[in-house]
Structures are given as structure tokens and as C-alpha cells.
């Protein structure tokens, strides 16, 4: 095991930092602070274009698919830096959708979708959850029926998705649909790419407790070419679970946690409104020390998962471990912040009086999301036990 | 940066696992604890010497095998899984300390027989309550011919009763000169040295050493370069390296307990089905798994950075915080999942539970390690 960045990796980290120093402008920060990310054009989109120009959306893809061929560790370093800076970088489209297309897609899928994804021109919302199928994803009911042949026919899609984050600024849906209603529930599912501005697609906003906008999406007789099917019909469950493993890997990066604890340590050394400096209290320092240590561990877990990916393994048990560890740690960081700041920590996000612009006030409200989202931690504990230790499924 | 096990590490681990499975079964671990029985595992010792385990991290010039601390971490992991008797590890600790702090002559004189398995050792370089606290409790004064006389008390020294040499530190006072930190290679049977067992519930490996004017020949005094005394940082580095290696031991021991526990719940039925099929049981297993993975990464990272010459206080603190808690959790949840089946002393689970207690406490547990990090936070 090698815990030290090599020369090339350090140079890469420095290149990413230099890029961020230059392009993370006050205007971009101001737009991000609004945290709705609703604009199809604006500072964030301009920032995305710059990332696209660098080729960094496809930085770990093979060169033949329009990538830079740098590999997962380089991607991990980039994402860690972006998270530390609090700016969005490569999203699920490049980190989990594209790899599944590369691995399982038809030649036509690859030709049609990979290049625009690498350029940052094609952004997917992932359509998994439905009002009746959240954690129990395989019971999804959105239907797709083939009219005509696989060569020149069309899929006709009907149904609804929920928690469809980012749909308002996406170009496409990575949509999971039922294509064989008679098959056992994991076996009748397919994945179809749906352009989001197609007739019959309706997006309706849902606001989360954190202030974050997510969406409901409705599909009424939406027609897309049969060739928009990813890979093979009724094999979608493999692509979804593969993409989810990669998604959890991408979500578990500890860059934002390192930043949160660094900021919290800084805040703890400043006087509150009552004049008290929280870090003068040894019990506060003790709690901070635990958070600090756990962020170090989370960081190592991130590098471990990236290293395994680099070896060609999709680390499903490892990312489940990481996802549980980081999401529960994020919640603990938020809890310590709330305790340490006292009433100052209630002051609303984006209000001038709030410590650190209300960053921790918001973090507390964001924290629950990743504990239940992207696979609830309870289901992931089942994954660890069942895939990691061959304990029997109890038929959930 | 690549956090995967290398082929070389995998091969080393596999051969050691086989060695320990053959020569260090739980029956041996149990037998060594029996009052009045053998305390030194001679056959295991011989096989470890033959496999060059005791020689592993030391230079070829002193008869060592020229391995790295990362290799040694693999040894500690397999030793921890198998509950390798601590006298083996204490001997390695003596070797690491002399390699770091001794003169060339001392290194050759101690390490050469140690590598051959002819010298057993132990160390008392730091407070048993806090591995980062290396203030000596012993006082030394010069007597004729550069010999020193050492007095004072050492508490909770692991394996001192089995050792040929115990390396401790002392404050050397010389009239008209500043005090110096020195190391003294003590013979536990020297006149003036009294060993008192501090009985623990599993055996008597912890010893209290009372020294009353114990004469140490000049050759056995570690005085650092130019005789100016040892650097405190240098001593702390060794003490923390030992603690980091113990964390690898703890993480691997916890992993072994997890495996045993899973094997038990998969086979044992209650209410007409395997215990392993209950979600509550699976979630306990998953939580131990998470704790073990965290501990393993943190411990290996700490040893890695020691091997790269970093003081690694921070990394060692993280490792202790994670490894000590993971081992306790694995054993206590292991008892929970085994129920009465694992709680009786006829079964082996409690052997790991004892090691978890010992290594979790000796040198300072999670609270102490958190204190090392807090110092950094207070400094800002």
C-alpha cells in the first residue's frame, strides 16, 4: 500500500488547484450561494464550459471515447479539490452514467452519447425513484413499450419519477423503465436515454428541507427512438446497480468534509456573539479532535475506492462502507457545529449575521440527505453483510 | 498513492498466515496463559526465526533481512489475527528502538543475536498511560568508568519477565552539566532490580520494575551522537511507531473476530432460521466491518508515514482512535452475536477480547490519542 502521492499525482493536484484559483470567481461563488443551481446559463454554466474545454469531464475515460485516459485516482484528486473549494465538478453523468455506457452500451450508444458528455454538453438527470418505488427501486412502474423494431421503432414511455435532482438544468434523463411487466421485478427493467425537452416530459420542482431544489418528472406518451435503449433490453438492473455503485463512490469523496472540519476548527477559535471562544472549552476540542480524525479516515477510504477502480474493480462493498461512514460523519459534523455555535448556528443561511454565511446552518439541513439518499444506509448495511460476508438475504 | 495490497504484501501475508495457523493455534495461546506453564512459545519462536520474521526490519549489516516497516506491518497484521504471543512483538520493539537510538556497536551487539532469535527483549520508552509522553521516570548517575547507576520505578512493562534486555530511558544527571536523556539496556536479573508481576486477568505479563542503584555498564547506555544524550523527539518517534504497529495488530485482530463471528451466526439457528438472516445481526456485522476497515486504513497509514520518516503523531493518533475502538467493538459485539455460546471460557473468543483490552489501554487509548490531536487544535 502506498499512501504518498507520486510526482505525477502531485503535479496534477497542483494543476487542478491552479485552475480553481483562477476560475472560482466571486461571481461564481455568489451564484453558488443561492444554491438553487436552476440557471441553464450563468456563472456555473460558464464554469462548466471551461472544465469541458480542458477535457476534464472525461479525464478518466479511455482516449478512444474522447477521454484523457488519466484514470480514477486522477479523477478522485480532481473531485476532492473541487469539493474542497465547494464548486461542482464532474457530476453523475460523467462519473456513473458514462462508464456504464462504455461498459454495456451498444456501439451506437457510445457514438451518440459519449462525446457530448465529455464536452459537458450532455447532462443527465437520473430517473430511478418513483412515488411508489424509492428504496425499493426494483418495484418501479414507469412503462416503456416498443412500437416497431429495435432498428427503426420507438419507445413509448408513460410514468412518473420523483427526487429527479438537476432535471431543471439537464439535457437528458438516464431513465429506468419497466419493459417486461411479466418478468420477475429485477429482470424486466431497461434503461433508456430521454431528451428532457421532448414533448410529453413535464418537470415540476420539489423543495427539500435543505433549500435544495429537486423535481418530479412526468412522462406522458413520450416517444424516443428505439436506439436510445442502453445496452440490451431487460438487462437494465445491472446497469443501474453498477451506476449506483459508481455514484456512491463519487458521493463519498471526503473533500467537502475536510473543508467543513477545517472551517469549523477556524470558527471554533473565533468569539461567538456572546464573546465565548468555543475552542477554549476542552470538551469542544475533544469533539473536534474526533471529527478531525474521522475526516482523515474518510479521506483514506476515498483513496482506497479510487485505487480499486484503478485496478478495474467496481468496489461495491467498499463504497457502501464509505457512503455510510461519510454520511454519518457529515451529520456528526453538523451536530457538533450546532452545539458549538449555539443560537448563532441557527442564523439562516445567506444572512449577514450568520457565522461563516450560515454554512453550518445549511449543512445541518443537508446532512440527512446523504444518509438516506443514493441507497439508504440501512440497505447498504445489508449490502455489506450480504455481499461482503455472504450472510443470507432475508427477502426484503 | 495506491491503497491496494501489493502482490508482495499478499504473498508475505499468505505465508505468515500459514505459519501462524500451524504454529500459533488458539490452543497455544491458551496454554501460554496457564499458571506455572511455559511462557515462551519455543516452537513458534523457532519457526519465526527460520522465516526471518525477527530479522525482517533490520539491516543486513547486523544480520537482518533488510525489510521495510510496511513489510513489518504485514507481520503485525498476521500476528494480530493469530494472537501471536506478545513477547515476540516486544522483542521486535526492542530491536526497532536500538536500531533507531543505539550506536553502531550497540546495534550490532543487540540486533545480531535478536535477529537469530537468541535474545528476547522488551521496551519501556514511554509512559504506559500515554505513548507520546516520553519523560523518563528513572534517574541515572555516573559512577566510575562511564558506568551509570539507575534508580526509580517502571510501571506496566509488558514481557519484562521474559526479556533478556529491557530498554528504558533515564535522566542522566552529571554534576555541573545539564541533565541528559539516555537509554539504558537493563538486564532484568541484575542486582538491585526487582520485578513484581502486576497480575492481569489473563496472565502476568505486565511487570513493575523497581531499580535501586542498578549498575549499567557504559556499553549498555545509549547516549546519542557525541554522547550528548538522546533527542526526546527520537524517543517519541520510536514509542509512537510501536503504538502504530500495535494498531495494525488491533485492526487485524478485530477482523479475525469479525470472521469468527460471521461463521458462527451463519451456522447457528434460532427461531428456525440462521441468526445471520436477521437484519439486526447483519447490521451489527456491517458496523463492525466499517469500524475494522477504518481501523485498518488508519493503522497502515500511520506505519507508512513512520516508514517515510515522519513523526506521524497525527496519523498515529487517528490510528489509535480507530483501532482501539474497532477491536473493542468487534469483540464486544462478537460476544453479543455469539451469545452464551461464545461467552464461556471454553471457547476462544475471549482470547481476542483480552488482547483488545490490553492493546487498547497500554500506551493510551482513544481519549489519550484524542488529546494528541487536541494539542494541535489548541495551538491553531
Amino acid at each position: 500500500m502506498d499512501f504518498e502521492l507520486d510526482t505525477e499525482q502531485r503535479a496534477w493536484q497542483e494543476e487542478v488547484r491552479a485552475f480553481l484559483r483562477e476560475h472560482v470567481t466571486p461571481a461564481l461563488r455568489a451564484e453558488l450561494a443561492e444554491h438553487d443551481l436552476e440557471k441553464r446559463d450563468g456563472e456555473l454554466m460558464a464554469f462548466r464550459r471551461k472544465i469541458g474545454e480542458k477535457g476534464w469531464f472525461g479525464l478518466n475515460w479511455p482516449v478512444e471515447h474522447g477521454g484523457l485516459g488519466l484514470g480514477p485516482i486522477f479523477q478522485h484528486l480532481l473531485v476532492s479539490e473541487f469539493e474542497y473549494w465547494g464548486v461542482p465538478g464532474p457530476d453523475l453523468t460523467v462519473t456513473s452514467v458514462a462508464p456504464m455506457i462504455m461498459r454495456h452500451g451498444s456501439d451506437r450508444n457510445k457514438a451518440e452519447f459519449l462525446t457530448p458528455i465529455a464536452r459537458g454538453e450532455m447532462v443527465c438527470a437520473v430517473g430511478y425513484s418513483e412515488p411508489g418505488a424509492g428504496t425499493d427501486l426494483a418495484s418501479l412502474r414507469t412503462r416503456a413499450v416498443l412500437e416497431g423494431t429495435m432498428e427503426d421503432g420507438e419507445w413509448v414511455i408513460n410514468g412518473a419519477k420523483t427526487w429527479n435532482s438537476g432535471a431543471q438544468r439537464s439535457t437528458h434523463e438516464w431513465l429506468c423503465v419497466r419493459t417486461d411487466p411479466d418478468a420477475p421485478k429485477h429482470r424486466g427493467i431497461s434503461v433508456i436515454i430521454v431528451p428532457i425537452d421532448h414533448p410529453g416530459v413535464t418537470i415540476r420542482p420539489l423543495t427539500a428541507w435543505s433549500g435544495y431544489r429537486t423535481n418530479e418528472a412526468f412522462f406522458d406518451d413520450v416517444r424516443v427512438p428505439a436506439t436510445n435503449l442502453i445496452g440490451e433490453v431487460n438487462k437494465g438492473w445491472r446497469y443501474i446497480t453498477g451506476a449506483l455503485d459508481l455514484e456512491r463512490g463519487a458521493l463519498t469523496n471526503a473533500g467537502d468534509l475536510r473543508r467543513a472540519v477545517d472551517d469549523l476548527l477556524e470558527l471554533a477559535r473565533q468569539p461567538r456573539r456572546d464573546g465565548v471562544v468555543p475552542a477554549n472549552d476542552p470538551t469542544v476540542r475533544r469533539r473536534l479532535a474526533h471529527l478531525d480524525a474521522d475526516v482523515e479516515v474518510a479521506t483514506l477510504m476515498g483513496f482506497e475506492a479510487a485505487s480499486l477502480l484503478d485496478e478495474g474493480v467496481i468496489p461495491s462493498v467498499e463504497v457502501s462502507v464509505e457512503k455510510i461512514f461519510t454520511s454519518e460523519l457529515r451529520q456528526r459534523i453538523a451536530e457538533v457545529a450546532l452545539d458549538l455555535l449555539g443560537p448563532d448556528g441557527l442564523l439562516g443561511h445567506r444572512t449577514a449575521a450568520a457565522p461563516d454565511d450560515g454554512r453550518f446552518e445549511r449543512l445541518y439541513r443537508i446532512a440527512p440527505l446523504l444518509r438516506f439518499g443514493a441507497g439508504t444506509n440501512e440497505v447498504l448495511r445489508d449490502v455489506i453483510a450480504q455481499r461482503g460476508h455472504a450472510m443470507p438475504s432475508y427477502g426484503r | 498513492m495506491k491503497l491496494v495490497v501489493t502482490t508482495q504484501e499478499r504473498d508475505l501475508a499468505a505465508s505468515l498466515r500459514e505459519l501462524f495457523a500451524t504454529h500459533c493455534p488458539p490452543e497455544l495461546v491458551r496454554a501460554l496463559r496457564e499458571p506455572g506453564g511455559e511462557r515462551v512459545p519455543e516452537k513458534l519462536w523457532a519457526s519465526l526465526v527460520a522465516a526471518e520474521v525477527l530479522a525482517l526490519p533490520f539491516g543486513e549489516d547486523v544480520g537482518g533481512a533488510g525489510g521495510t516497516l510496511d513489510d513489518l506491518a504485514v507481520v503485525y497484521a498476521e500476528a494480530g489475527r493469530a494472537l501471536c504471543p506478545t513477547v515476540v512483538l516486544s522483542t521486535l520493539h526492542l530491536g526497532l528502538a536500538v536500531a533507531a537510538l543505539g550506536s553502531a556497536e550497540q546495534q550490532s551487539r543487540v540486533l545480531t543475536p535478536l535477529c537469530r532469535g537468541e535474545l528476547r527483549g522488551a521496551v519501556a520508552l514511554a509512559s504506559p498511560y500515554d505513548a507520546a509522553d516520553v519523560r523518563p521516570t528513572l534517574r541515572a548517575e555516573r559512577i566510575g568508568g562511564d558506568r551509570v547507576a539507575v534508580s526509580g520505578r517502571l510501571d506496566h512493562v509488558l514481557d519484562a519477565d521474559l526479556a533478556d534486555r529491557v530498554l528504558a530511558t533515564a535522566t542522566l544527571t552529571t554534576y555541573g552539566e545539564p541533565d541528559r536523556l539516555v537509554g539504558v539496556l537493563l538486564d532484568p536479573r541484575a542486582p538491585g532490580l526487582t520485578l513484581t508481576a502486576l497480575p492481569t486477568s489473563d496472565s502476568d505479563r505486565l511487570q513493575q520494575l523497581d531499580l535501586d542503584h542498578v549498575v549499567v555498564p557504559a556499553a549498555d547506555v545509549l547516549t546519542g551522537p557525541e554522547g550528548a544524550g538522546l533527542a526526546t523527539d527520537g524517543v517519541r518517534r520510536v514509542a509512537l511507531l510501536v503504538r502504530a504497529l500495535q494498531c495494525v495488530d488491533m485492526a487485524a485482530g478485530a477482523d479475525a473476530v469479525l470472521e469468527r463471528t460471521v461463521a458462527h451466526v451463519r451456522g447457528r439457528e434460532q427461531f428456525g432460521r440462521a441468526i445471520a438472516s436477521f437484519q439486526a445481526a447483519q447490521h451489527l456485522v456491517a458496523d463492525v466491518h466499517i469500524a475494522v476497515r477504518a481501523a485498518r486504513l488508519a493503522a497502515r497509514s500511520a506505519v507508512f508515514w513512520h516508514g517515510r520518516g515522519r513523526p506521524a503523531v497525527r496519523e498515529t493518533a487517528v490510528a489509535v482512535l480507530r483501532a482501539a475502538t474497532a477491536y473493542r467493538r468487534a469483540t464486544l459485539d462478537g460476544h453479543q452475536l455469539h451469545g452464551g455460546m461464545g461467552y464461556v471460557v471454553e471457547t476462544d473468543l475471549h482470547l481476542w477480547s483480552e488482547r483488545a483490552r490490553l492493546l487498547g489501554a497500554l500506551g493510551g487509548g482513544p481519549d489519550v490519542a484524542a488529546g494528541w490531536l487536541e494539542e494541535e487544535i489548541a495551538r491553531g
Side-chain angles (χ1 to χ4, degrees), chain A residues 76-155:
Chain A
H76 180 76
L77 286 166
L78 178 132
V79 174
S80 299
E81 286 302 317
F82 273 60
E83 286 205 353
Y84 191 84
W85 284 63
V87 292
D91 64 5
L92 295 180
T93 313
V94 290
T95 58
S96 51
V97 168
M100 285 299 116
I101 295 176
M102 275 177 228
R103 211 173 275 234
H104 303 290
S106 64
D107 289 344
R108 180 160 175 163
N109 290 155
K110 292 175 194 168
E112 210 167 336
F113 301 127
L114 291 176
T115 308
I117 290 176
R119 288 203 197 113
E121 290 160 4
M122 173 173 165
V123 180
C124 293
V126 290
Y128 296 150
S129 296
E130 297 182 4
T135 296
D136 185 8
L137 180 56
S139 63
L140 65 88
R141 292 164 70 171
T142 295
R143 287 282 310 272
V145 177
L146 182 64
E147 280 187 7
T149 69
M150 289 295 278
E151 283 69 41
D152 57 7
E154 281 185 325
W155 292 103

Side-chain angles (χ1 to χ4, degrees), chain A residues 285-297, chain B residues 243 247 250 291 294-295 298-299 313-329 359-360 364-374:
Chain A
R285 289 202 299 274
R286 175 60 49 102
R287 294 180 73 187
L288 290 170
H290 279 277
L291 298 180
D292 192 15
D294 284 347
V295 169
E296 292 299 302
V297 173
Chain B
R243 200 71 188 110
C247 289
M250 287 192 268
V313 182
R314 180 178 174 79
E315 289 83 356
T316 309
V318 175
V320 172
L321 276 163
R322 278 282 148 195
T325 49
Y327 209 173
R328 284 179 194 164
R329 173 146 208 188
L359 293 185
D367 286 341
V368 170
W372 305 340
L373 290 177
E374 272 173 55

Side-chain angles (χ1 to χ4, degrees), chain A residues 344-362:
Chain A
D344 291 4
L346 303 175
L347 300 175
H349 179 58
R350 284 157 67 187
T351 61
D356 212 356
D357 297 327
R359 165 191 170 78
F360 290 100
E361 185 275 328
R362 187 176 169 215

Side-chain angles (χ1 to χ4, degrees), chain B residues 336-350:
Chain B
Q336 173 65 15
L337 285 167
H338 277 78
M341 301 293 288
Y343 200 54
V344 289
V345 295
E346 286 169 25
T347 54
D348 296 328
L349 180 58
H350 73 105

Side-chain angles (χ1 to χ4, degrees), chain B residues 243-258:
Chain B
R243 200 71 188 110
L245 287 165
Q246 288 173 331
C247 289
V248 176
D249 181 327
M250 287 192 268
D255 198 25
V257 170
L258 177 60

Side-chain angles (χ1 to χ4, degrees), chain A residues 1-6 9 73 258 265 269 279 282 285-290 292-294 296-297 299-301 303-304 307-308 310-311 317-318 320-321 324-325 328 332 377-386 388-394, chain B residues 1-6 9 70 255 258-259 262 265-266 273-279 281-283 285-287 289-290 293-298 300-301 304-305 308 314-315 317-318 321-322 366-368 370-371 373-374 376-380:
Chain A
M1 294 181 108
D2 184 353
F3 288 82
E4 189 167 27
L5 293 180
D6 64 27
Q9 292 164 345
I73 292 178
R258 181 71 267 167
L265 287 169
R269 296 181 192 115
R285 289 202 299 274
R286 175 60 49 102
R287 294 180 73 187
L288 290 170
H290 279 277
D292 192 15
D294 284 347
E296 292 299 302
V297 173
T299 303
L300 294 175
M301 287 179 170
F303 274 115
E304 185 183 40
S307 304
L308 288 168
D310 203 42
E311 299 276 288
V317 170
E318 285 80 3
S320 299
V321 168
I324 294 169
F325 191 85
E328 293 179 357
R332 273 184 284 132
N377 285 4
E378 287 68 29
V379 165
L380 294 182
R381 284 184 161 90
D382 295 349
V383 167
I384 294 169
Q386 292 170 15
H389 295 281
M391 294 172 86
S393 167
Y394 44 79
Chain B
M1 160 74 76
K2 195 150 200 188
L3 302 193
V4 291
V5 177
T6 62
E9 286 172 335
D70 293 326
D255 198 25
L258 177 60
E259 280 177 20
V262 169
V265 295
R266 286 173 59 192
R273 52 193 264 211
I275 292 173
S277 70
F278 290 99
Q279 189 176 41
Q282 296 197 0
H283 286 193
V285 163
D287 284 335
H289 178 103
I290 293 166
R293 301 303 292 181
R296 177 176 166 275
L297 278 171
R300 285 299 304 266
S301 162
F304 176 91
W305 287 112
R308 297 299 180 283
R314 180 178 174 79
E315 289 83 356
V318 175
L321 276 163
R322 278 282 148 195
D367 286 341
V368 170
L373 290 177
E374 272 173 55
E376 225 176 82
I377 291 170
R379 277 200 305 272

Side-chain angles (χ1 to χ4, degrees), chain B residues 38 58 79 109 169 234 244 283 297 299 328 333 348:
Chain B
E38 282 294 314
F58 307 116
R109 196 155 47 79
T169 53
H283 286 193
L297 278 171
R328 284 179 194 164
D333 284 355
D348 296 328

